Amino acid sequence: MSEFIDFSQLYPMKFAPIYQARMWGGTQMSEVLGREVPASEEPIGESWELVDRPDEQSVLLNGALAGRTLHDLLAHYGRELVGRKAKSVERFPLLVKLIDAGDRLSLQVHPDEAACREIGNGAEPKTEMWYIIAARKGAQILAGLSGRATRQQLMSRLDSPDVENLLQVYPSQPGDAYFITSGTLHAIGGGNLILEIQQNSDTTYRVSDWGRVDAHGRPRQLHVEAGVRSINFMNRTSPRIVGVSGTAGHNRKFDVVTLCPYFAVSDLRLVGVWNDDTAPSGSFHLISAINAPVRIGRPDDRERMVEVAAGETVLVPACYGAYVIEPAAAGECRVVKTTL
């Protein structure tokens, strides 16, 4: 195992993806992003790009600390890695995924803190954001109850396709984002390739699986009671954040998620070098390339600049300071930047 280095020598970090087979998985990770996904009986539906969970650990791929897990790094470097805004240094606060939906995901909800206290059993709150990387023709997002939907209507239609009529349904557009607060009933439609930024939680309550069964004819477990207790029936706001259209001859930055206690997200549209700095933010930076490769690091230390392919996410430690993002392809590069 590699020796730890002084925090002043930390660098942008790229981790090995952890692929997850799902019955609803798709093929866009390979077809759109050019990834070599592992062979699997069920299709690959998720890639956990950055995770610090007891049962799953991201492993560093690059630099002097290669082979170390994210949890090892956090345990050693603490706030030099995550920054002063992190509520704790026990676990990395966020989880980053790619969702490759060949078929519709279950109708589900994540609990908030109050619901977790009520439900117990180790439930963890989860608020998340989706950024649509690519979408096939006709792909949809189902997120949030419609204005007139009632609890009674929902309960009576959970076993019926008619439950979709109680939801807000949107056509998928690359560049759009969705801010899914805990308590929001939602389903990702088939044909979507999505970058997901979320609280470090793996609590999901399925309230409907659209009558689906696995290869052995068995339905997946539902969690109707806990799920319905977790739904915020008062929230009927639209979770959709419409992406910007058109291109420009200069760099542009658009705020996606700002008024959230768990993370802040920006959409960078780059045609040239982008200068940034972790110091003012008091947080690590997560840089996710969306449609084209970029390079990240210090111009005076080009040997340690990190190449980031479309779909990949790099962790820039909070102590790193000034750095640049350089587009590595012609045209406008889309980059999602996440901080605390």
Side-chain angles (χ1 to χ4, degrees):
M1 183 65 68
S2 55
E3 296 293 327
F4 287 111
I5 57 178
D6 188 79
F7 75 87
S8 64
Q9 298 300 309
L10 289 178
Y11 50 89
M13 299 173 172
K14 188 160 68 170
F15 294 84
I18 302 171
Y19 293 104
Q20 307 281 353
R22 298 287 186 260
M23 67 187 327
W24 43 259
T27 57
Q28 291 192 84
M29 272 194 249
S30 59
E31 293 172 2
V32 175
L33 301 178
R35 288 201 176 188
E36 293 185 13
V37 299
S40 172
E41 286 189 12
E42 288 189 319
I44 297 298
E46 300 184 10
S47 174
W48 292 22
E49 300 291 295
L50 196 69
V51 56
D52 176 12
R53 302 281 303 166
D55 53 343
E56 294 286 7
Q57 275 294 317
S58 289
V59 176
L60 186 61
L61 286 175
N62 65 313
L65 296 168
R68 291 282 182 180
T69 67
L70 179 56
H71 193 68
D72 286 342
L73 297 168
L74 182 59
H76 185 83
Y77 294 107
R79 295 198 180 277
E80 302 293 349
L81 184 70
V82 294
R84 64 178 183 272
K85 286 187 177 180
K87 293 181 179 179
S88 166
V89 294
E90 292 183 10
R91 291 279 175 192
F92 195 79
L94 302 180
L95 201 162
V96 179
K97 298 179 182 178
L98 293 176
I99 307 292
D100 188 351
D103 195 7
R104 177 185 287 187
L105 276 66
S106 64
L107 184 60
Q108 58 188 243
V109 63
H110 309 300
D112 62 13
E113 292 182 2
C116 288
R117 288 193 295 269
E118 185 179 333
I119 294 167
N121 295 321
E124 300 171 302
K126 187 200 291 190
T127 285
E128 60 193 23
M129 183 225 67
W130 306 332
Y131 186 96
I132 299 180
I133 298 173
R136 299 197 191 282
K137 185 178 181 180
Q140 295 179 325
I141 295 292
L142 300 84
L145 288 166
S146 63
R148 296 183 179 180
T150 67
R151 181 192 294 260
Q152 183 177 1
Q153 288 174 330
L154 180 69
M155 294 300 296
S156 67
R157 299 185 192 181
L158 281 179
D159 294 329
S160 165
D162 290 343
V163 70
E164 182 176 332
N165 298 327
L166 302 178
L167 303 172
Q168 299 178 46
V169 181
Y170 303 92
S172 295
Q173 295 288 341
D176 280 2
Y178 289 83
F179 182 46
I180 308 296
T181 56
S182 53
T184 301
L185 193 61
H186 62 271
I188 295 173
N192 283 292
L193 178 62
I194 285 174
L195 171 70
E196 180 176 277
I197 308 290
Q198 58 160 89
Q199 285 180 271
N200 188 347
S201 162
D202 200 26
T203 301
T204 297
Y205 298 130
R206 288 191 291 268
V207 299
S208 172
D209 206 19
W210 318 107
R212 184 163 43 196
V213 295
D214 65 16
H216 304 285
R218 297 183 299 241
R220 291 195 295 174
Q221 181 183 4
L222 299 180
H223 320 91
V224 175
E225 181 181 353
V228 173
R229 288 165 71 181
S230 298
I231 296 171
N232 181 354
F233 283 92
M234 299 298 291
N235 181 14
R236 306 301 172 98
T237 59
S238 172
R240 185 187 189 188
I241 303 157
V242 179
V244 296
S245 59
T247 58
H250 54 83
N251 290 339
R252 299 181 293 167
K253 174 179 177 289
F254 302 93
D255 293 329
V256 177
V257 176
T258 54
L259 301 177
C260 171
Y262 312 115
F263 49 78
V265 180
S266 300
D267 182 355
L268 307 180
R269 304 296 178 100
L270 307 182
V271 296
V273 174
W274 174 268
N275 292 282
D276 217 319
D277 194 334
T278 60
S281 67
S283 167
F284 58 84
H285 291 185
L286 299 179
I287 304 299
S288 304
I290 300 299
N291 68 320
V294 297
R295 290 182 291 268
I296 298 173
R298 298 191 179 110
D300 60 354
D301 189 12
R302 300 197 70 84
E303 287 187 2
R304 294 205 298 172
M305 289 191 81
V306 179
E307 300 276 346
V308 189
E312 290 184 333
T313 293
V314 162
L315 167 61
V316 183
C319 66
Y320 191 65
Y323 68 96
V324 299
I325 306 173
E326 294 181 350
E332 189 174 72
C333 293
R334 287 187 284 142
V335 172
V336 169
K337 171 187 168 185
T338 305
T339 66
L340 295 183

